[in-house]
Amino acid sequence: MVLSETAARIKNMEIRGAGRIARAAVEALRDHADTLDSSSLDTFRREMRAAADILLSTRPTAVSLPNAIRYVMAPLETASTLSGARQAIRERAEAFIRSSLHAVDRIAEIGARHISDGDTLLTHCNSEAALACIVEAHRQGKEIEVYATEVRPRRQGLLTIRTLNDAGIATNYIVDSAVRHFIKDIDLVLVGADAIAVNGAVVNKIGTAPIALAAHEVRTSVIVAAETYKFAPRTILGERIEIEERDASEVLPRETAESLPHVRVRNPVFDVTPAAYVDLIITEKGAIPPELAYTIIREYLGWSIEEFR
Ligand code: RI2
């Protein structure tokens, strides 16, 4: 698949989920580097940067995308030959994909420890990392039941219930607005993340923040499953994570919207859950309270405050 095709599929959400987006983007960069017929290292650098920009512009919120691209593109700065640059990009892309998949497995192992026999869980949207924890707990023989939300407007909940059903996990499918009604029956909320700020705030699918608020009210724990590359280094500088707002037609058919000239349909697809409503973040390096987000950025992503000076 050519790079522009991957970019289009990420943009229209045929490829979605923060981890999958990152892996698809680095795969596209690797293949692009392999096929470019650049006349010099400088041209190669320019063409690769342009390709990275196309991928970066697809979805603004999932920080896994710029983090993965930064990692794969780093050798461009130091390589002294074109073939060396190409080779280094290929190696980094493959290393990223391998470690990303391994991270999900590790998160599953660590996350499953926080799920007890007899627990009723609630999950929102379709997170590979969060679902891996649930499926692993079930695989270990823990008797669990899950509430999965519909996730308007794109209904990613349908993907979630398919996975849970196929794993043989007792699942309840509910509309998003039913969360507060059921929250008293829930022992643990387990969700994924598209980005995590240095202050431990979690950016995830729209509707996550009210779920966390409802959980907080009844003292139900909220756990976030997220690979270290979902932490957003630039938030160290106070940079805000952009919340993607998608087309109104995802919410209302265009003709209906056009018949209502005084109505503006809003479609933000993520919200921000403050650290105070998050009990634990499970990463592949271990479980941390949200307040320790900075250590992940510094130690595992290799970004330090000095880099911004
Ligand atoms: P994994 C998804 O975003 C959801 O918000 C999900 O919680 C998050 O990415 C993380 O997913 P979207 O692409 O990386 O559906 O854990 O907008 O799969």
PDB file of all heavy atoms in Angstrom, residues 247-266:
ATOM      1  N   ASP A 247     -16.184  15.363  11.189  1.00  0.00           N
ATOM      2  CA  ASP A 247     -17.284  15.877  10.391  1.00  0.00           C
ATOM      3  C   ASP A 247     -18.644  15.637  11.055  1.00  0.00           C
ATOM      4  O   ASP A 247     -18.892  14.581  11.640  1.00  0.00           O
ATOM      5  CB  ASP A 247     -17.251  15.195   9.023  1.00  0.00           C
ATOM      6  CG  ASP A 247     -17.992  16.021   8.008  1.00  0.00           C
ATOM      7  OD1 ASP A 247     -17.407  17.001   7.516  1.00  0.00           O
ATOM      8  OD2 ASP A 247     -19.178  15.704   7.737  1.00  0.00           O
ATOM      9  N   ALA A 248     -19.520  16.629  10.911  1.00  0.00           N
ATOM     10  CA  ALA A 248     -20.859  16.561  11.494  1.00  0.00           C
ATOM     11  C   ALA A 248     -21.668  15.393  10.940  1.00  0.00           C
ATOM     12  O   ALA A 248     -22.560  14.860  11.611  1.00  0.00           O
ATOM     13  CB  ALA A 248     -21.594  17.871  11.226  1.00  0.00           C
ATOM     14  N   SER A 249     -21.350  14.980   9.710  1.00  0.00           N
ATOM     15  CA  SER A 249     -22.127  13.908   9.078  1.00  0.00           C
ATOM     16  C   SER A 249     -21.972  12.577   9.824  1.00  0.00           C
ATOM     17  O   SER A 249     -22.743  11.647   9.616  1.00  0.00           O
ATOM     18  CB  SER A 249     -21.706  13.737   7.617  1.00  0.00           C
ATOM     19  OG  SER A 249     -20.341  13.379   7.578  1.00  0.00           O
ATOM     20  N   GLU A 250     -20.976  12.472  10.719  1.00  0.00           N
ATOM     21  CA  GLU A 250     -20.863  11.260  11.535  1.00  0.00           C
ATOM     22  C   GLU A 250     -21.984  11.207  12.574  1.00  0.00           C
ATOM     23  O   GLU A 250     -22.318  10.150  13.093  1.00  0.00           O
ATOM     24  CB  GLU A 250     -19.510  11.226  12.267  1.00  0.00           C
ATOM     25  CG  GLU A 250     -18.312  11.048  11.341  1.00  0.00           C
ATOM     26  CD  GLU A 250     -17.001  10.862  12.109  1.00  0.00           C
ATOM     27  OE1 GLU A 250     -16.955  11.161  13.314  1.00  0.00           O
ATOM     28  OE2 GLU A 250     -16.032  10.417  11.484  1.00  0.00           O
ATOM     29  N   VAL A 251     -22.548  12.387  12.880  1.00  0.00           N
ATOM     30  CA  VAL A 251     -23.563  12.474  13.940  1.00  0.00           C
ATOM     31  C   VAL A 251     -24.977  12.519  13.360  1.00  0.00           C
ATOM     32  O   VAL A 251     -25.882  11.846  13.834  1.00  0.00           O
ATOM     33  CB  VAL A 251     -23.306  13.722  14.826  1.00  0.00           C
ATOM     34  CG1 VAL A 251     -24.367  13.854  15.908  1.00  0.00           C
ATOM     35  CG2 VAL A 251     -21.914  13.648  15.455  1.00  0.00           C
ATOM     36  N   LEU A 252     -25.142  13.335  12.306  1.00  0.00           N
ATOM     37  CA  LEU A 252     -26.462  13.498  11.666  1.00  0.00           C
ATOM     38  C   LEU A 252     -26.294  13.394  10.164  1.00  0.00           C
ATOM     39  O   LEU A 252     -25.320  13.947   9.627  1.00  0.00           O
ATOM     40  CB  LEU A 252     -26.999  14.911  11.940  1.00  0.00           C
ATOM     41  CG  LEU A 252     -27.954  15.183  13.085  1.00  0.00           C
ATOM     42  CD1 LEU A 252     -28.557  16.579  12.904  1.00  0.00           C
ATOM     43  CD2 LEU A 252     -29.056  14.150  13.198  1.00  0.00           C
ATOM     44  N   PRO A 253     -27.227  12.736   9.471  1.00  0.00           N
ATOM     45  CA  PRO A 253     -27.126  12.729   8.000  1.00  0.00           C
ATOM     46  C   PRO A 253     -27.123  14.163   7.471  1.00  0.00           C
ATOM     47  O   PRO A 253     -27.799  15.038   8.033  1.00  0.00           O
ATOM     48  CB  PRO A 253     -28.404  11.996   7.556  1.00  0.00           C
ATOM     49  CG  PRO A 253     -28.922  11.310   8.766  1.00  0.00           C
ATOM     50  CD  PRO A 253     -28.394  12.021   9.975  1.00  0.00           C
ATOM     51  N   ARG A 254     -26.338  14.394   6.425  1.00  0.00           N
ATOM     52  CA  ARG A 254     -26.177  15.739   5.884  1.00  0.00           C
ATOM     53  C   ARG A 254     -27.512  16.420   5.583  1.00  0.00           C
ATOM     54  O   ARG A 254     -27.717  17.582   5.917  1.00  0.00           O
ATOM     55  CB  ARG A 254     -25.309  15.686   4.621  1.00  0.00           C
ATOM     56  CG  ARG A 254     -24.364  16.854   4.497  1.00  0.00           C
ATOM     57  CD  ARG A 254     -23.407  16.682   3.332  1.00  0.00           C
ATOM     58  NE  ARG A 254     -22.291  15.807   3.634  1.00  0.00           N
ATOM     59  CZ  ARG A 254     -21.242  16.160   4.379  1.00  0.00           C
ATOM     60  NH1 ARG A 254     -21.181  17.368   4.905  1.00  0.00           N
ATOM     61  NH2 ARG A 254     -20.249  15.325   4.610  1.00  0.00           N
ATOM     62  N   GLU A 255     -28.465  15.647   4.987  1.00  0.00           N
ATOM     63  CA  GLU A 255     -29.772  16.261   4.618  1.00  0.00           C
ATOM     64  C   GLU A 255     -30.505  16.738   5.866  1.00  0.00           C
ATOM     65  O   GLU A 255     -31.107  17.819   5.869  1.00  0.00           O
ATOM     66  CB  GLU A 255     -30.711  15.277   3.888  1.00  0.00           C
ATOM     67  CG  GLU A 255     -30.085  14.377   2.834  1.00  0.00           C
ATOM     68  CD  GLU A 255     -29.314  13.217   3.447  1.00  0.00           C
ATOM     69  OE1 GLU A 255     -29.961  12.349   4.016  1.00  0.00           O
ATOM     70  OE2 GLU A 255     -28.067  13.204   3.350  1.00  0.00           O
ATOM     71  N   THR A 256     -30.450  15.954   6.937  1.00  0.00           N
ATOM     72  CA  THR A 256     -31.132  16.370   8.178  1.00  0.00           C
ATOM     73  C   THR A 256     -30.488  17.654   8.690  1.00  0.00           C
ATOM     74  O   THR A 256     -31.181  18.616   9.045  1.00  0.00           O
ATOM     75  CB  THR A 256     -31.017  15.259   9.253  1.00  0.00           C
ATOM     76  OG1 THR A 256     -31.348  14.022   8.656  1.00  0.00           O
ATOM     77  CG2 THR A 256     -31.907  15.544  10.441  1.00  0.00           C
ATOM     78  N   ALA A 257     -29.165  17.674   8.714  1.00  0.00           N
ATOM     79  CA  ALA A 257     -28.465  18.859   9.217  1.00  0.00           C
ATOM     80  C   ALA A 257     -28.803  20.073   8.356  1.00  0.00           C
ATOM     81  O   ALA A 257     -29.027  21.176   8.867  1.00  0.00           O
ATOM     82  CB  ALA A 257     -26.970  18.608   9.230  1.00  0.00           C
ATOM     83  N   GLU A 258     -28.891  19.862   7.039  1.00  0.00           N
ATOM     84  CA  GLU A 258     -29.166  20.986   6.141  1.00  0.00           C
ATOM     85  C   GLU A 258     -30.585  21.517   6.303  1.00  0.00           C
ATOM     86  O   GLU A 258     -30.868  22.672   6.013  1.00  0.00           O
ATOM     87  CB  GLU A 258     -28.905  20.565   4.694  1.00  0.00           C
ATOM     88  CG  GLU A 258     -27.409  20.639   4.376  1.00  0.00           C
ATOM     89  CD  GLU A 258     -27.021  19.946   3.080  1.00  0.00           C
ATOM     90  OE1 GLU A 258     -27.923  19.523   2.319  1.00  0.00           O
ATOM     91  OE2 GLU A 258     -25.805  19.824   2.852  1.00  0.00           O
ATOM     92  N   SER A 259     -31.490  20.651   6.800  1.00  0.00           N
ATOM     93  CA  SER A 259     -32.863  21.112   6.999  1.00  0.00           C
ATOM     94  C   SER A 259     -33.012  21.882   8.316  1.00  0.00           C
ATOM     95  O   SER A 259     -34.097  22.347   8.659  1.00  0.00           O
ATOM     96  CB  SER A 259     -33.823  19.916   6.981  1.00  0.00           C
ATOM     97  OG  SER A 259     -33.653  19.175   8.176  1.00  0.00           O
ATOM     98  N   LEU A 260     -31.931  22.003   9.069  1.00  0.00           N
ATOM     99  CA  LEU A 260     -31.967  22.677  10.370  1.00  0.00           C
ATOM    100  C   LEU A 260     -30.914  23.792  10.399  1.00  0.00           C
ATOM    101  O   LEU A 260     -29.869  23.676  11.048  1.00  0.00           O
ATOM    102  CB  LEU A 260     -31.670  21.661  11.491  1.00  0.00           C
ATOM    103  CG  LEU A 260     -32.592  20.435  11.561  1.00  0.00           C
ATOM    104  CD1 LEU A 260     -31.975  19.341  12.415  1.00  0.00           C
ATOM    105  CD2 LEU A 260     -33.951  20.837  12.103  1.00  0.00           C
ATOM    106  N   PRO A 261     -31.161  24.874   9.666  1.00  0.00           N
ATOM    107  CA  PRO A 261     -30.117  25.885   9.476  1.00  0.00           C
ATOM    108  C   PRO A 261     -29.640  26.551  10.767  1.00  0.00           C
ATOM    109  O   PRO A 261     -28.542  27.098  10.800  1.00  0.00           O
ATOM    110  CB  PRO A 261     -30.772  26.904   8.533  1.00  0.00           C
ATOM    111  CG  PRO A 261     -32.232  26.640   8.634  1.00  0.00           C
ATOM    112  CD  PRO A 261     -32.404  25.204   8.954  1.00  0.00           C
ATOM    113  N   HIS A 262     -30.444  26.480  11.833  1.00  0.00           N
ATOM    114  CA  HIS A 262     -30.003  27.136  13.076  1.00  0.00           C
ATOM    115  C   HIS A 262     -29.245  26.188  14.002  1.00  0.00           C
ATOM    116  O   HIS A 262     -28.850  26.562  15.096  1.00  0.00           O
ATOM    117  CB  HIS A 262     -31.211  27.725  13.821  1.00  0.00           C
ATOM    118  CG  HIS A 262     -31.947  28.737  13.005  1.00  0.00           C
ATOM    119  ND1 HIS A 262     -31.404  29.959  12.700  1.00  0.00           N
ATOM    120  CD2 HIS A 262     -33.158  28.683  12.389  1.00  0.00           C
ATOM    121  CE1 HIS A 262     -32.251  30.624  11.928  1.00  0.00           C
ATOM    122  NE2 HIS A 262     -33.326  29.866  11.715  1.00  0.00           N
ATOM    123  N   VAL A 263     -29.107  24.966  13.533  1.00  0.00           N
ATOM    124  CA  VAL A 263     -28.448  23.961  14.389  1.00  0.00           C
ATOM    125  C   VAL A 263     -27.034  23.689  13.876  1.00  0.00           C
ATOM    126  O   VAL A 263     -26.832  23.423  12.693  1.00  0.00           O
ATOM    127  CB  VAL A 263     -29.247  22.633  14.410  1.00  0.00           C
ATOM    128  CG1 VAL A 263     -28.503  21.564  15.215  1.00  0.00           C
ATOM    129  CG2 VAL A 263     -30.639  22.871  14.987  1.00  0.00           C
ATOM    130  N   ARG A 264     -26.095  23.756  14.794  1.00  0.00           N
ATOM    131  CA  ARG A 264     -24.718  23.396  14.429  1.00  0.00           C
ATOM    132  C   ARG A 264     -24.390  22.090  15.149  1.00  0.00           C
ATOM    133  O   ARG A 264     -24.505  22.005  16.370  1.00  0.00           O
ATOM    134  CB  ARG A 264     -23.789  24.512  14.894  1.00  0.00           C
ATOM    135  CG  ARG A 264     -22.342  24.259  14.576  1.00  0.00           C
ATOM    136  CD  ARG A 264     -21.490  25.451  15.019  1.00  0.00           C
ATOM    137  NE  ARG A 264     -20.083  25.140  14.900  1.00  0.00           N
ATOM    138  CZ  ARG A 264     -19.136  25.731  15.611  1.00  0.00           C
ATOM    139  NH1 ARG A 264     -19.456  26.681  16.479  1.00  0.00           N
ATOM    140  NH2 ARG A 264     -17.867  25.393  15.456  1.00  0.00           N
ATOM    141  N   VAL A 265     -24.036  21.089  14.383  1.00  0.00           N
ATOM    142  CA  VAL A 265     -23.710  19.795  14.982  1.00  0.00           C
ATOM    143  C   VAL A 265     -22.235  19.807  15.383  1.00  0.00           C
ATOM    144  O   VAL A 265     -21.380  20.145  14.572  1.00  0.00           O
ATOM    145  CB  VAL A 265     -23.964  18.633  13.988  1.00  0.00           C
ATOM    146  CG1 VAL A 265     -23.554  17.297  14.604  1.00  0.00           C
ATOM    147  CG2 VAL A 265     -25.423  18.611  13.568  1.00  0.00           C
ATOM    148  N   ARG A 266     -21.944  19.458  16.625  1.00  0.00           N
ATOM    149  CA  ARG A 266     -20.556  19.414  17.098  1.00  0.00           C
ATOM    150  C   ARG A 266     -20.130  17.960  17.279  1.00  0.00           C
ATOM    151  O   ARG A 266     -20.924  17.150  17.752  1.00  0.00           O
ATOM    152  CB  ARG A 266     -20.431  20.163  18.445  1.00  0.00           C
ATOM    153  CG  ARG A 266     -20.888  21.612  18.404  1.00  0.00           C
ATOM    154  CD  ARG A 266     -20.036  22.477  17.482  1.00  0.00           C
ATOM    155  NE  ARG A 266     -18.616  22.408  17.754  1.00  0.00           N
ATOM    156  CZ  ARG A 266     -17.946  23.224  18.577  1.00  0.00           C
ATOM    157  NH1 ARG A 266     -18.590  24.182  19.210  1.00  0.00           N
ATOM    158  NH2 ARG A 266     -16.641  23.084  18.755  1.00  0.00           N
TER     159      ARG A 266
END
